[in-house]
Amino acid sequence: MDREKQIESFQRKIKRVLITQEEIQEAVQKAGQEISDSYDGNPILLVSILKGAYVFLADLSRAITVPSEIGFMCAKSYYSGTVSTGAVKITMDLDQDVSKYHVVIVEDIIDTGRTLNDVVNLLKARNPLSLKVVTLLDKPSRRMVDFEADKALFTIPDHFVIGYGLDCGEYYRNLPYIAEYDEGAE
Ligand code: IMP
Ligand code: MG
């Protein structure tokens, strides 16, 4: 396939926009305000799960007005194409001692719930001052374990989505909106 055809095929797989840039920004500002209000000036540690949550974290952290630190973890849920295989592995751990912090986990999407269930259990065992989970997207219809976020900005149907940090095969993370991915498009 020549370069031009490759780019056309890349574009065609962006089936339709599900959540616009403006809708995301509005919801993120509101969530940042609510988080700031609920911690009453106490310092918080925003824990982001790489890579998918990096865009959400960048925007959410700038909408938070209480003193906050940022920490990163890398958790990989293994996918075969767009289907989860169920294995979760922590490939990079936090460098902060969470027992000194009110922790807010910032996630891109909760799908089967396995990734966050594992990460939350791991962090709880380290006795944080408190622990909450905020996710940009929630796909409740796909849940395999009993797990709910404290806050979900958008609930979406069972579509594989891309953009605003979420990828398919590492592409599309830089789209400023959330779109449905068209697996069938050539
Ligand atoms: P879970 O363990 O099944 O909840 O999977 C969560 C992780 O799978 C997310 O952090 C994403 O990285 C990835 N994931 C789940 N659904 C999607 C999707 O629709 N698009 C892109 N990545 C997804
Ligand atoms: Mg992720």
Side-chain angles (χ1 to χ4, degrees), residues 6-172:
Q6 243 173 348
I7 292 171
E8 277 171 24
S9 152
F10 178 88
Q11 296 290 356
R12 267 199 297 275
K13 288 181 194 288
I14 306 172
K15 191 173 182 182
R16 66 189 175 98
V17 177
L18 274 186
I19 310 169
T20 67
Q21 193 171 356
E22 291 73 23
E23 287 169 329
I24 296 171
Q25 293 308 328
E26 199 186 313
V28 170
Q29 292 308 314
K30 193 166 157 247
Q33 195 55 58
E34 283 172 15
I35 291 169
S36 304
D37 291 347
S38 64
Y39 285 92
D40 200 26
N42 283 311
I44 56 177
L45 174 65
L46 298 172
V47 174
S48 170
I49 322 266
L50 294 170
K51 297 174 195 173
Y54 81 103
V55 180
F56 181 36
L57 175 76
D59 283 345
L60 184 66
S61 63
R62 286 178 292 175
I64 289 176
T65 51
V66 292
S68 48
E69 281 186 43
I70 307 288
F72 293 103
M73 282 178 91
C74 201
K76 279 207 156 57
S77 32
Y78 289 93
Y79 269 79
S80 158
T82 57
V83 180
S84 172
T85 60
V88 178
K89 199 176 156 203
I90 308 293
T91 55
M92 186 185 85
D93 207 344
L94 278 173
D95 51 18
Q96 285 93 346
D97 171 2
V98 300
S99 70
K100 299 186 167 65
Y101 295 90
H102 292 282
V103 174
V104 180
I105 298 179
V106 178
E107 179 59 314
D108 53 354
I109 187 167
I110 307 179
D111 186 31
T112 65
R114 287 188 183 115
T115 307
L116 270 191
N117 198 49
D118 282 15
V119 169
V120 162
N121 286 337
L122 181 83
L123 293 187
K124 272 190 180 158
R126 298 177 187 171
N127 298 312
L129 297 175
S130 68
L131 181 83
K132 289 225 157 120
V133 174
V134 55
T135 183
L136 177 73
L137 305 174
D138 189 8
K139 259 197 250 181
S141 58
R142 300 243 320 154
R143 214 64 103 241
M144 303 284 287
V145 295
D146 184 18
F147 185 87
E148 291 310 320
D150 297 283
K151 180 187 265 316
L153 275 57
F154 299 96
T155 299
I156 60 168
D158 182 15
H159 297 311
F160 193 81
V161 292
I162 49 173
Y164 200 74
L166 291 119
D167 73 307
C168 186
E170 294 299 328
Y171 287 118
Y172 304 102

